[in-house]
Amino acid sequence: MRDTSGMLQMSLSWLGLGPVAASPWLLLLLAAVSWLLARVLAWTYACYDNARRLRCFPQPPKRNWFLGHLGLVQPTEEGLRVLTQLVVNNPQGYMIWMGPIIPLVIFCHPDLVRSITNASAAVAPKNSFFYEFLKPWLGDGLLLSAGDKWSRHRRMLTPAFHFNILKSYVKIFNDSAKVMHAKWQCLITEGHTRLNMFEHISLMTLDSLQKCVFSFDSNCQEKPIGYIAAILELSALVAKRHQQLFQYKDFVYYLTPDGQRFRRACHQVHDFTDAVIRERRRTLPDEGADDFLKAKAKTKTLDFIDVLLLTKDEDGTGLSDEDIRAEADTFMFAGHDTTASGLSWVLYNLAKHPEYQERCRQEVEELLKDREPKEIEWIHREQLGFKGIQLEPRNTCSFIHPVPIQQTLPHCFLIPNCMPSPILLSSVLCPGDSERT
């Protein structure tokens, strides 16, 4: 026993511990330190190796070594100019650093983008890093889910986008647009010559979606509504968090004032959605699904919550209240934000090309000259002779991405530390594990 103890003491002498007797606690501490050191070294090498493999992508100058390119593109008009210049200087694509260790590769050329969008989910997974910021708000809906759950929900939600359902929404869109136009007329009467187009259109899309998703008319375009304000606040807070390196970790973020505001706004949005779901659940057992559908058919509106409550999968299993809330909140966020951004850019492009704007105006006036009320309906889509009216939104979205740059730069995704298989990006080959030396 003495010989063994003496050997342990000798074996620890190289650490400078001298005659200190070995103990199980000391050995456990040494093992933990060794494991931690090995993990740090492995992580450091992985970051170095990842940076080495990404040197093939051009990079704009960093703001500094720690922040990288964070804050390079601000959510302002000047930020749009910076972004435009980056694309001009790097027409194929480029890479930026979100802090010292998070690379973000941005593709600008359609051929490169196509290589990613056509790749399987295993090769090009969803951007889980930044999407995690949305998880407490949107839950596990279509935007954030993956795999079997995404496939199941996608099949179950398909009926919600049938033409017979969408047709009834056209009147809702017309009514919401009329409210927005009336506000603009009042501003013109008062002498205003400038307005924040995106802000007004965002309220209009939120107004439309609240009617289509919940069958709820909040009149949010004309007076402040807590639920709508909470959605706008959540969108702004998520965009702001992307630029705050020290707030990427949840346990830090929720200690900040922004994190506490985010949590309060989440509760407010969830409480509203849950209340609507509970009320609909309460009415369904009394009426039954068939009677419920007949009653809805008389009003010619079947909202999104109705579809979610009634839909079932192949096994006859419906969605849980948590799943319904996640999908409803997802469509309220993604539906209003991208639509408002796309419509704003459409109006911007028409304003830059007044000859096309005038042709669109003449086309609509000719179509509606003998109609009362003067509203475009579903059947008029095929009667528009000037195809620019139909193609302009598509053309705009093809070269100006409707997702705001504060949240996700156009066509960007995170390169994982280890790619499971090679990805050919035009003339650039990003080697996978099988080709690494």
Side-chain angles (χ1 to χ4, degrees):
M1 191 69 179
R2 290 180 179 178
D3 292 339
T4 303
S5 176
M7 292 176 64
L8 287 173
Q9 289 182 8
M10 292 176 61
S11 66
L12 295 174
S13 62
W14 65 277
L15 294 175
L17 298 178
V20 178
S23 70
W25 294 111
L26 183 58
L27 294 175
L28 184 62
L29 176 62
L30 289 174
V33 171
S34 301
W35 176 84
L36 182 61
L37 180 62
R39 290 297 300 269
V40 170
L41 291 175
W43 176 79
T44 302
Y45 176 77
C47 291
Y48 163 78
D49 186 54
N50 202 30
R52 178 182 62 81
R53 291 189 290 124
L54 293 172
R55 288 174 185 169
C56 55
F57 296 103
Q59 302 180 38
K62 295 181 179 179
R63 297 182 64 200
N64 59 58
W65 70 270
F66 184 74
L67 293 178
H69 299 95
L70 272 176
L72 178 65
V73 179
Q74 295 290 334
T76 61
E77 187 173 350
E78 179 61 30
L80 283 176
R81 293 195 184 98
V82 172
L83 179 62
T84 302
Q85 191 60 44
L86 284 173
V87 176
V88 171
N89 296 339
N90 307 281
Q92 297 294 317
Y94 56 95
M95 186 184 75
I96 59 176
W97 289 92
M98 310 293 284
I101 60 172
I102 305 173
L104 193 63
V105 179
I106 300 171
F107 297 104
C108 306
H109 196 279
D111 292 341
L112 297 178
V113 175
R114 193 177 301 113
S115 300
I116 301 304
T117 56
N118 291 342
S120 66
V123 174
K126 287 187 176 182
N127 181 355
S128 60
F129 185 86
F130 290 122
Y131 276 178
E132 285 299 316
F133 296 166
L134 296 167
K135 198 88 171 183
W137 171 17
L138 304 183
D140 215 12
L142 278 181
L143 179 63
L144 305 184
S145 61
D148 293 339
K149 184 168 186 177
W150 180 90
S151 300
R152 176 176 178 265
H153 282 209
R154 184 65 185 86
R155 291 193 302 271
M156 296 176 72
L157 265 61
T158 298
F161 304 98
H162 192 279
F163 282 160
N164 289 334
I165 293 178
L166 297 180
K167 288 177 183 178
S168 63
Y169 293 160
V170 175
K171 178 171 175 51
I172 292 176
F173 301 153
N174 284 331
D175 292 342
S176 297
K178 286 179 180 178
V179 174
M180 182 178 68
H181 291 161
K183 289 173 60 181
W184 291 355
Q185 289 292 340
C186 289
L187 290 173
I188 293 173
T189 303
E190 295 170 1
H192 294 275
T193 58
R194 302 170 65 91
L195 58 84
N196 186 331
M197 184 72 70
F198 182 75
E199 178 182 328
H200 284 255
I201 296 180
S202 292
L203 285 175
M204 186 270 291
T205 56
L206 279 168
D207 189 19
S208 300
L209 274 173
Q210 204 171 17
K211 297 170 184 174
C212 296
V213 174
F214 301 113
S215 292
F216 186 81
D217 186 0
S218 64
N219 200 23
C220 64
Q221 295 192 70
E222 300 182 287
K223 62 180 181 180
I225 300 297
Y227 171 74
I228 299 299
I231 291 180
L232 295 173
E233 182 177 32
L234 288 170
S235 301
L237 288 172
V238 170
K240 182 179 179 182
R241 187 179 179 185
H242 286 169
Q243 302 295 328
Q244 305 293 326
L245 179 64
F246 295 105
Q247 297 182 11
Y248 281 5
K249 292 297 183 181
D250 286 346
F251 72 89
V252 174
Y253 181 64
Y254 288 116
L255 294 176
T256 66
D258 282 349
Q260 294 168 12
R261 287 170 55 202
F262 182 85
R263 181 169 283 168
R264 287 194 298 269
C266 275
H267 288 321
Q268 186 171 1
V269 170
H270 292 167
D271 289 345
F272 177 86
T273 309
D274 288 341
V276 174
I277 295 172
R278 285 194 301 269
E279 178 61 23
R280 299 292 178 84
R281 287 278 193 202
R282 186 184 63 79
T283 60
L284 271 178
D286 297 336
E287 299 180 4
D290 293 337
D291 294 336
F292 181 81
L293 288 174
K294 290 178 181 179
K296 280 288 179 176
K298 292 179 180 179
T299 63
K300 298 183 180 181
T301 56
L302 186 69
D303 64 36
F304 192 59
I305 293 291
D306 295 331
V307 176
L308 295 180
L309 285 167
L310 296 171
T311 188
K312 297 184 183 300
D313 61 15
E314 299 84 351
D315 300 326
T317 304
L319 295 170
S320 67
D321 286 0
E322 183 179 357
D323 290 335
I324 294 175
R325 184 183 75 186
E327 301 298 354
D329 289 343
T330 294
F331 277 85
M332 283 298 298
F333 162 66
H336 99 269
D337 201 53
T338 55
T339 306
S341 179
L343 289 174
S344 298
W345 283 115
V346 167
L347 295 177
Y348 170 81
N349 287 324
L350 287 174
K352 285 191 64 177
H353 302 280
E355 67 277 14
Y356 291 105
Q357 181 180 160
E358 183 58 29
R359 289 178 65 182
C360 289
R361 179 182 290 109
Q362 292 176 1
E363 178 79 18
V364 173
E365 289 178 349
E366 179 66 23
L367 181 66
L368 300 179
K369 65 179 182 179
D370 296 325
R371 289 187 56 85
E372 284 296 337
K374 294 186 179 299
E375 295 180 353
I376 292 181
E377 298 179 359
W378 183 272
I379 59 174
H380 294 146
R381 295 181 309 120
E382 304 301 328
Q383 300 177 22
L384 295 172
F386 177 42
K387 295 302 181 183
I389 296 179
Q390 299 183 39
L391 296 178
E392 175 58 29
R394 301 178 190 176
N395 292 336
T396 295
C397 292
S398 69
F399 65 89
I400 301 179
H401 203 275
V403 177
I405 62 172
Q406 308 103 296
Q407 297 180 3
T408 306
L409 293 173
H411 307 301
C412 60
F413 72 101
L414 286 176
I415 298 288
N417 288 339
C418 295
M419 291 184 180
S421 59
I423 301 179
L424 183 63
L425 303 175
S426 187
S427 60
V428 181
L429 182 66
C430 294
D433 291 340
S434 59
E435 295 187 3
R436 292 173 63 183
T437 59

